[in-house]
Amino acid sequence: MAVLFSKPHAMADVPLHYCPGCTHGIVHRLIAESIDDLGIEGRTIGIAPVGCSVFAYDYFNCDMVEAAHGRAPAVATGIKRVDPDHIVFTYQGDGDLAAIGTAETVHAATRGENITVIFINNAIYGMTGGQMAPTSLPGQVTQTTPYGRDVKTAGYPIRVCEMLSTLDGVALAQRVTVDCVKNVRTAKKAIKKAFEYQMEGLGYSIIEVISSCPTNWGLAPRDALEWLRQNMLPYYPLGVYKDIKEGDSHE
């Protein structure tokens, strides 16, 4: 019998610890599929962050390194410069990348470090209990904004792809989501392209994935995806914000 689908070889055959309905598992699979497609498992090094995906080092069959909170771009920079023939990626949440790691993110991008960054944006701090994140929406209720995020005191959410697309060192900045089959396929193409750009030595690539957090949003998994569509996507529009080979497609 022909095998039509199987787990990617680059993804370890172990249970994931993520909450039911969380989209981390989908994104992990897309990364592993891209590694398989490109035949780079033996020379890929992933950087696991602090956050919900802190145990990502258990889920991939490639080499993995744990980084201190927010420092994944710095660790990735060091590894890539020491061994430029390796393919290096970071996997980071919004608290890790856009809060404590903002400086490392911006400077790695503006230097054009030849790394691939997978950025999970679920508009909340997940692992630590649902506090407001830099990406939490105006008016969004969290553990630390029980009356909703007030932009007068907490400021506005950070749109990471828009910000980084202004930097000369960035080769690819694209925002995707994984709420349906069509968007999962688009996300896979984006992640694979980001790895390909690194293999071509084009510079820094970031793929931002708009994701759900049913547990901390207080919603059922299906309802969380609908909340994502109705609330997050209008504020964080999908599209290509910078592509030095093909041009920008976002309007």
Side-chain angles (χ1 to χ4, degrees), residues 27-212:
V27 182
H28 281 13
R29 178 172 61 83
L30 299 182
I31 293 171
E33 286 181 355
S34 298
I35 292 172
D36 283 4
D37 290 349
L38 297 170
I40 56 174
E41 181 183 318
R43 61 189 186 103
T44 296
I45 301 174
I47 314 299
V50 172
C52 288
S53 51
V54 66
F55 298 127
Y57 52 73
D58 283 335
Y59 303 145
F60 295 98
N61 284 324
C62 62
D63 289 333
M64 297 290 293
V65 176
E66 182 69 44
H69 201 188
R71 312 308 172 213
V75 174
T77 295
I79 292 172
K80 185 68 177 183
R81 291 193 177 195
V82 167
D83 195 341
D85 291 333
H86 273 75
I87 306 301
V88 181
F89 76 92
T90 71
Y91 187 96
Q92 301 175 257
D94 39 16
D96 186 85
L97 182 145
I100 192 170
T102 312
E104 282 80 0
T105 296
V106 171
H107 288 289
T110 200
R111 291 193 307 266
E113 299 294 345
N114 193 35
I115 60 175
T116 300
V117 175
I118 309 300
F119 168 43
I120 305 300
N121 176 359
N122 57 17
I124 205 163
Y125 275 92
M127 182 185 72
T128 51
Q131 300 93 333
M132 184 189 76
T135 51
S136 296
L137 300 173
Q140 183 175 346
V141 173
T142 73
Q143 290 293 333
T144 49
T145 56
Y147 302 106
R149 178 174 185 162
D150 185 351
V151 298
K152 293 180 180 178
T153 55
Y156 291 89
I158 296 175
R159 291 184 173 103
V160 171
C161 272
E162 288 87 334
M163 176 176 67
L164 295 186
S165 67
T166 66
L167 303 177
D168 291 339
V170 174
L172 176 65
Q174 183 171 351
R175 181 180 292 130
V176 299
T177 191
V178 290
D179 67 318
C180 63
V181 172
K182 177 183 176 181
N183 285 336
V184 167
R185 289 175 175 169
T186 299
K188 164 70 179 296
K189 290 179 181 178
I191 291 170
K192 186 175 179 179
K193 178 189 282 189
F195 280 121
E196 290 172 336
Y197 276 25
Q198 182 179 166
M199 294 169 72
E200 295 175 36
L202 298 181
Y204 180 99
S205 293
I206 180 168
I207 305 301
E208 177 179 355
V209 186
I210 301 300
S211 302
S212 63

